[in-house]
Amino acid sequence: MPKLIKVYIQQVAIGFALSAVFTAILIYFNVANLQRLVFGSSDGLLGLFLIFFFNGLVFAGVQFAIRIMRMGFEDDDDDDHHGGHGVPHSDPVPIRISAKS
């Protein structure tokens, strides 16, 4: 299996695990009275699953994006500079502007 596919599956698993924790915190602290809505309705478990699933999609996407963007910085050798090039400074030079009417 290619390395990128393994990384993707790993990050999706982490994203859905974070979603499970996030959903549990929402229910435990009764944010927006979700606890009563989930456990007091016949469709509450469907709502709970949808909260978990859609948050999992978002968290997995963010996890994967962060991992991909950080792949370029996994270089452990410090022999190259990542600071970029400075902007050269010079003294201001006055210029003549003619007024046209």
Side-chain angles (χ1 to χ4, degrees):
M1 185 179 305
K3 181 182 176 187
L4 192 59
I5 302 299
K6 289 179 186 177
V7 168
Y8 180 72
I9 292 171
Q10 179 186 23
Q11 298 309 312
V12 166
I14 291 172
F16 274 94
L18 287 172
S19 175
V21 170
F22 180 71
T23 305
I25 289 172
L26 285 178
I27 297 300
Y28 180 75
F29 287 114
N30 200 15
V31 175
N33 208 13
L34 272 176
Q35 194 175 47
R36 186 184 66 81
L37 289 171
V38 167
F39 296 121
S41 172
S42 62
D43 293 331
L45 292 180
L46 174 64
L48 183 66
F49 171 74
L50 290 175
I51 290 172
F52 161 74
F53 183 73
F54 288 120
N55 279 323
L57 289 178
V58 171
F59 289 164
V62 170
Q63 271 297 120
F64 185 63
I66 290 171
R67 176 73 167 99
I68 292 297
M69 286 187 263
R70 290 182 52 111
M71 284 179 88
F73 295 109
E74 291 179 356
D75 190 13
D76 288 339
D77 58 349
D78 292 333
D79 57 354
D80 51 352
H81 300 289
H82 293 290
H85 301 289
V87 177
H89 296 284
S90 62
D91 294 328
V93 177
I95 56 171
R96 186 175 305 248
I97 300 175
S98 62
K100 294 185 180 181
S101 47

